Amino acid sequence: IENEGATGRLQPALVHGLAVAAMVACMAEISGSHFNPPFTLAIYLCGGLDMNMVFPYLACQLLGGVLGAAMAKAMTSKESFAKAHGAAFDVLQSNDALG
């Protein structure tokens, strides 16, 4: 959210990829590594999840994403949020567009 301009595209991609890899390695035996909808769909397609559990998992993951975004907005100063740009920030600059 702070828009560090010098990082480029490689650093955030590596950080997110390595973070997901570490989370999968650490949590696979606990939660089955259901971190986002593509993981859940892949696990279902590979036979690791029953169909009756797919929709509750997807709903909870989407709700978690919305709550995480709301927390990130709440914890960011108004000045930093007003200067944010790129991705969703180009679309969601006002609270009217949040819904």
Side-chain angles (χ1 to χ4, degrees):
I1 292 177
E2 299 299 327
N3 287 328
E4 187 64 38
T7 60
R9 293 185 178 166
L10 181 62
Q11 180 185 8
L14 287 175
V15 168
H16 286 98
L18 292 173
V20 169
M23 289 178 7
V24 167
C26 293
M27 303 295 248
E29 296 300 318
I30 298 170
S31 68
S33 299
H34 295 268
F35 297 115
N36 56 30
F39 277 77
T40 299
L41 292 175
I43 293 168
Y44 166 71
L45 292 174
C46 292
L49 187 65
D50 293 332
M51 182 58 157
N52 64 343
M53 292 302 294
V54 171
F55 293 111
Y57 270 79
L58 293 177
C60 290
Q61 290 162 350
L62 294 173
L63 179 64
V66 169
L67 291 175
M71 286 174 38
K73 183 178 183 208
M75 293 188 299
T76 303
S77 68
K78 291 183 186 268
E79 296 81 25
S80 294
F81 189 79
K83 292 187 296 185
H85 65 283
F89 292 106
D90 290 341
V91 177
L92 298 176
Q93 280 298 329
S94 71
N95 285 335
D96 296 336
L98 191 59

